[in-house]
């Protein structure tokens, strides 16, 4: 029994059976217990170490499973030759990995956040119960590689009615997020082709082009959207744009620029436009602007969107609408791929849409976000001498231009110290250009009206911005 004189720490957070298993494994691999040695019975070892037989049984079972010992009928447990193990995981000192604590904010103006408190949980739960049923046992099998036809049919119907996008379900590719679909799309194009993306713009897009080792150029954006002439100057072949509500500036691609961009794409056979329509559902000043794809007659626009803002970010469902000329290339290139979204999730969304729950949810959330936007703009009126709002026509964020000599990073830091989360425009600018006045991106989707009012007042206080004299008198 001397060979098993282990020091088990009963106060440790590591279970006793795991400690015992590791001690025996270490002794075997270090040669302290010879090959073919019979180990003590579970009862004897338990008595000797003053632990339960169940603890010993669990340790022995793990050693048997990994091939360190073998049970012999009516004889007991014997050690096995270590060299016969296919893989030997030598014991290592475990180091505690501590997570970096996330800062806590009293008011989080993150533009990616939605109003989770207004989600229709009862309706979603009922829809899920309908889908998760024994009659739908076929959902346990792999489905269509582009996504279930029922979901693609509902997406095609919705896009035509709400965005003017004309497509067949066969043109739609369903995937788990833009960051999963974009690399697939990029691989459809020749490696010699170059991409152009809006700057400032999505940081995710910058990294995707970089990780896929593609030539990509930041293209300037102004109040009318992307600079089409800049595409030509940089020799761009494929342009990535957010025309309905540019992120993060909030500008909308003007009618003139839309025509210029489509003409630019039509000028050469290899040119395409990737239209990211990430939050077009939420427009407040007029009817939603038709998608760029709806104006495309030459099959040059690739439409991409997601349910992250309209339903929930954690759903992880996005979709591409490929022009017919790219569809065969996709099917040939990704012959052995399958949709990365679980079929049950796809069916829940398809049923949610088919029964009209999705459109009702959107209408309700559009009204709710409009009220929040009105609340935000009203809260900023007393400070309008020092703060200007832009990009408020759509979406769930605005841009504040602050009349101050402080830098954007200083303003963000002051806000953070006051428990308020805001974002510098330079964070989205690859070139880190300095504007005449600092610009701050302010999301309002995840806050209620009371939090918005209080948060704006606290934000202005930490920036030492006083209310207008007229507001104070009133």
């Amino acid at each position: 029994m001397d060979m098993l004189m282990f020091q088990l720490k009963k106060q440790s957070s590591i279970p006793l059976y795991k400690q015992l298993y590791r001690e025996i494994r270490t002794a075997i691999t270090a040669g302290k217990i010879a090959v073919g040695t019979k180990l003590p019975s579970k009862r004897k070892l338990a008595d000797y170490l003053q632990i339960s037989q169940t603890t010993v049984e669990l340790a022995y079972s793990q050693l048997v499973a990994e091939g360190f010992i073998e049970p012999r009928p009516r004889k007991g447990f014997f050690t096995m030759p270590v060299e016969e193990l296919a893989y030997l995981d030598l014991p290592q000192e475990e180091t505690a990995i501590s997570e970096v604590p996330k800062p806590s904010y009293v008011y989080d103006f993150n533009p990616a956040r939605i109003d989770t408190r207004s989600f229709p949980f009862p309706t979603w739960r009922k829809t899920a119960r309908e889908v998760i049923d024994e009659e739908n046992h076929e959902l346990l099998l792999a489905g269509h590689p582009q996504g279930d036809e029922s979901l693609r049919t509902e997406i095609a119907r919705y896009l035509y009615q709400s965005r003017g996008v004309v497509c067949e379900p066969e043109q739609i590719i369903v995937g788990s997020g833009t960051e999963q679909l974009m690399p697939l799309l990029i691989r459809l194009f020749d490696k010699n082709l170059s991409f152009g993306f809006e700057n400032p713009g999505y940081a995710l897009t910058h990294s995707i082009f970089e990780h896929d080792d593609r030539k990509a150029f930041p293209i300037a954006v102004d109040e009318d959207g992307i600079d089409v002439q800049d595409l030509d100057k940089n020799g761009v072949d494929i342009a990535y744009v957010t025309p309905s509500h540019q992120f993060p500036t909030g500008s909308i691609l003007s009618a003139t620029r839309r025509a210029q961009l489509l003409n630019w794409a039509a000028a050469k056979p290899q040119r395409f436009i990737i239209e990211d329509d990430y939050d077009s559902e939420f427009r407040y000043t007029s009817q939603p602007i038709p998608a760029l794809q709806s104006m495309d007659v030459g099959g040059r626009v690739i439409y991409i969107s997601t349910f992250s803002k309209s339903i929930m970010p954690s759903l992880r469902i996005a979709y591409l609408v490929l022009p017919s000329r790219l569809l065969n290339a996709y099917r040939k290139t990704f012959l052995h791929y399958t949709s990365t979204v679980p079929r049950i999730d796809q069916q829940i969304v398809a049923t949610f849409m088919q029964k009209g729950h999705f459109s009702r949810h959107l209408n309700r959330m559009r009204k709710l976000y409009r009220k929040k936007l009105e609340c935000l703009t009203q809260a900023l009126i007393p400070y309008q001498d020092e703060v200007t709002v832009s990009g408020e026509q759509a979406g769930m964020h605005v841009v504040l231009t602050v009349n101050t000599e402080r830098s954007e990073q200083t303003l963000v830091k002051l806000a953070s110290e006051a428990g308020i989360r805001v974002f510098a425009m330079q964070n989205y600018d690859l070139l880190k250009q300095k504007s005449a006045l600092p610009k701050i991106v302010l999301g309002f989707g995840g806050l209620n009206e009371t939090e918005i009012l209080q948060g704006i007042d606290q934000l202005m206080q930490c920036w030492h911005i006083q209310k207008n004299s007229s507001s104070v008198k009133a």
Side-chain angles (χ1 to χ4, degrees), residues 287-298:
Q287 290 296 314
I289 298 173
L292 193 64
Q293 196 267 8
S294 68
M295 303 170 61
D296 177 31
V297 295

Side-chain angles (χ1 to χ4, degrees), residues 145 339 439:
S339 177
K439 296 180 184 294

Side-chain angles (χ1 to χ4, degrees), residues 205-348:
T205 311
H206 307 167
S207 61
I208 286 175
F209 292 130
E210 183 181 335
H211 292 163
D212 281 80
D213 197 25
R214 297 302 178 104
K215 286 188 295 183
F217 302 94
I219 305 299
V221 172
D222 59 25
E223 63 273 9
D224 289 324
I226 194 167
D227 185 341
V228 180
Q229 292 183 346
D230 210 14
L231 293 172
D232 272 323
K233 288 178 186 176
N234 286 280
V236 169
D237 300 298
I238 297 130
Y240 171 90
V241 295
T242 52
S244 296
H245 187 226
Q246 202 277 332
F247 186 86
T249 67
S251 64
I252 295 169
L253 194 66
S254 66
T256 301
R257 290 276 177 91
R258 285 171 178 252
Q260 288 176 352
L261 188 58
L262 289 169
N263 288 333
W264 168 85
K268 292 185 179 180
Q270 77 272 20
R271 286 181 176 173
F272 284 91
I273 301 164
I274 301 172
E275 177 182 15
D276 189 341
D277 209 23
Y278 70 101
D279 71 353
S280 60
E281 295 91 353
F282 304 109
R283 182 164 180 79
Y284 313 113
T285 56
S286 64
Q287 290 296 314
I289 298 173
L292 193 64
Q293 196 267 8
S294 68
M295 303 170 61
D296 177 31
V297 295
R300 299 297 182 135
V301 178
I302 302 156
Y303 183 92
I304 185 168
S305 191
T306 171
F307 289 106
S308 291
K309 294 290 180 73
S310 57
I311 298 182
M312 60 180 120
S314 62
L315 187 62
R316 308 309 303 141
I317 297 183
Y319 48 89
L320 282 172
V321 178
L322 290 179
S324 299
R325 63 169 69 187
L326 289 177
L327 191 57
N328 287 335
Y330 177 88
R331 289 173 175 169
K332 199 175 292 183
T333 305
F334 302 109
L335 177 65
H336 303 293
Y337 276 50
T338 190
S339 177
T340 53
V341 180
R343 291 190 68 196
I344 288 177
D345 291 347
Q346 292 187 52
Q347 284 301 313
I348 291 173

Side-chain angles (χ1 to χ4, degrees), residues 6-174:
F6 303 134
Q7 298 296 320
L8 302 182
K9 300 175 183 178
K10 296 187 179 181
Q11 305 304 319
S12 172
S13 60
I14 301 173
L16 286 174
Y17 85 88
K18 201 166 188 178
Q19 294 183 50
L20 179 59
Y21 148 76
R22 289 177 177 175
E23 292 286 353
I24 297 175
R25 185 186 68 171
T26 301
I28 292 172
T29 55
K32 293 179 181 178
I33 302 178
V35 174
T37 300
K38 180 182 178 181
L39 298 183
S41 68
K42 289 178 280 187
R43 182 183 60 80
K44 286 184 178 180
L45 186 56
D47 290 343
Y48 181 73
L49 296 176
Q50 296 184 342
I51 56 178
S52 70
Q53 287 192 46
T54 303
T55 298
V56 179
E57 185 174 355
L58 287 171
Y60 277 13
S61 296
Q62 186 64 33
L63 290 164
V64 170
E66 295 184 14
F68 285 96
I69 65 175
E70 67 170 354
R72 296 178 186 173
R74 295 185 296 277
K75 291 185 179 180
F77 294 88
F78 294 81
T79 57
M80 296 287 290
V82 172
E83 63 271 13
E84 292 182 7
L85 295 176
Y87 169 72
L88 181 59
D89 182 14
L90 294 176
Q92 296 180 0
E93 190 71 26
E94 287 198 0
T95 55
I97 300 175
S98 58
E99 291 188 9
V100 178
K102 292 183 179 179
S104 177
Y105 298 100
V106 181
Y107 306 104
D108 190 350
F109 288 95
N110 187 341
R113 292 188 66 189
I114 65 167
D115 190 327
T116 56
R117 288 166 283 199
S118 300
F119 185 76
F121 281 103
T123 305
W124 188 264
R125 186 163 52 244
K126 181 181 177 184
T127 306
R129 280 201 301 265
E130 292 174 13
V131 171
I132 304 173
D133 188 88
E134 291 177 356
E135 293 184 3
N136 294 331
H137 55 84
E138 75 281 355
L139 295 180
L140 303 179
L141 303 174
H144 194 284
Q146 291 179 211
D148 276 16
E149 185 177 2
S150 58
L151 177 57
R152 289 184 285 120
T153 299
E154 291 301 326
I155 290 173
R157 183 182 294 119
Y158 162 71
L159 289 179
Y160 178 71
Q161 293 173 352
S162 66
R163 307 295 296 121
V165 171
V166 179
C167 68
E168 298 297 327
E170 290 74 23
Q171 293 174 253
I172 296 174
I173 316 294
V174 176

Side-chain angles (χ1 to χ4, degrees), residues 443-457:
F444 55 85
L447 299 171
N448 61 38
E449 291 181 42
T450 301
E451 290 168 334
I452 290 172
L453 290 170
Q454 295 174 347
I456 290 299
D457 280 342

